[in-house]
């Protein structure tokens, strides 16, 4: 189970390049349920996601990931709908043992910056107080789903 909240970014944290980061390219074969392929560095992953309805402010998904080969990724990439979403992901530690995953988008979405935080529980997600560098909470806004970004 994946429990997360998503925010726009008001300002970038200081010393951004000092945090671990990786380049990501991902595309979507279908969007309901979501069937996504992702290249993350030298790893290739097939992901199945299905959104769960809850009363929480968080995004709650059932998520399963499967390792792929580079050849399988390349073959499926040709079958993706829309565009490939390209971004750099930074992993930034937060208080309470949480991690902010800051995505800085490239290509068609140049200038878009989103940050996600995953939580161990829906209660933890609801109680979360975002750092000052986070912007508006867009967890419930479908325009900021990566699958939507791949379609425009």
């Amino acid at each position: 189970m994946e429990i997360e909240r998503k925010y726009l970014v008001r300002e970038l944290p200081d010393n951004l390049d000092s945090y671990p980061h990786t380049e990501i390219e991902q595309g979507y074969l279908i969007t309901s349920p979501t069937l996504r392929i992702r290249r993350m560095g030298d790893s290739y992953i097939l992901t199945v996601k299905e959104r769960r309805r809850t009363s929480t402010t968080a995004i709650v998904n059932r998520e399963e990931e499967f390792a792929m080969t580079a050849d399988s990724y390349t073959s499926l990439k040709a079958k993706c709908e829309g565009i490939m979403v390209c971004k750099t992901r930074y992993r930034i530690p937060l208080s309470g043992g949480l991690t902010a995953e800051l995505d800085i988008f490239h290509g068609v979405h140049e200038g878009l910056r989103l940050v996600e935080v995953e939580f161990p529980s829906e209660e933890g997600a609801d109680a979360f107080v975002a750092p000052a560098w986070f912007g508006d909470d867009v967890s419930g806004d479908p325009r900021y789903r990566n699958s939507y970004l791949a379609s425009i």
Side-chain angles (χ1 to χ4, degrees):
M1 193 69 62
E2 174 188 64
I3 303 166
E4 65 184 14
R5 289 181 65 186
K6 184 181 292 193
Y7 300 82
L8 293 172
V9 175
R10 185 179 326 279
E11 63 185 54
L12 294 176
D14 292 335
N15 304 314
L16 186 59
D17 284 331
S18 68
Y19 297 106
H21 55 280
T22 189
E23 299 302 317
I24 296 175
E25 175 186 71
Q26 62 191 44
Y28 294 82
L29 298 160
I30 58 174
T31 57
S32 187
T34 301
L35 185 57
R36 175 188 76 201
I37 59 168
R38 174 183 277 175
R39 178 183 51 79
M40 193 165 173
D42 293 331
S43 297
Y44 302 90
I45 304 161
L46 174 69
T47 303
V48 179
K49 279 188 174 189
E50 188 171 22
R51 188 168 295 266
R52 298 270 172 130
R53 300 277 181 228
T54 66
S55 60
T56 182
T57 57
I59 301 166
V60 180
N61 293 311
R62 184 180 62 80
E63 179 179 271
E64 294 181 65
E65 294 186 332
F66 306 93
M68 300 174 59
T69 65
D71 288 342
S72 295
Y73 176 84
T74 301
S75 177
L76 288 175
K77 182 177 173 179
K79 296 173 181 4
C80 286
E81 298 177 1
I83 63 169
M84 298 301 286
V85 174
C86 300
K87 57 192 177 181
T88 304
R89 172 166 290 168
Y90 294 84
R91 295 183 48 80
I92 303 166
L94 299 174
S95 62
L98 298 173
T99 300
E101 292 184 337
L102 169 62
D103 290 339
I104 298 179
F105 290 79
H106 309 294
V108 174
H109 302 296
E110 190 73 39
L112 178 60
R113 302 178 306 196
L114 295 171
V115 61
E116 296 178 356
V117 179
E118 289 194 24
F119 301 92
S121 69
E122 292 178 44
E123 295 78 19
D126 286 339
F128 180 68
V129 177
W133 61 273
F134 283 32
D136 293 338
D137 185 333
V138 294
S139 300
D141 190 333
R143 296 174 300 167
Y144 296 103
R145 291 182 188 159
N146 284 286
S147 58
Y148 177 79
L149 295 174
S151 72
I152 57 173

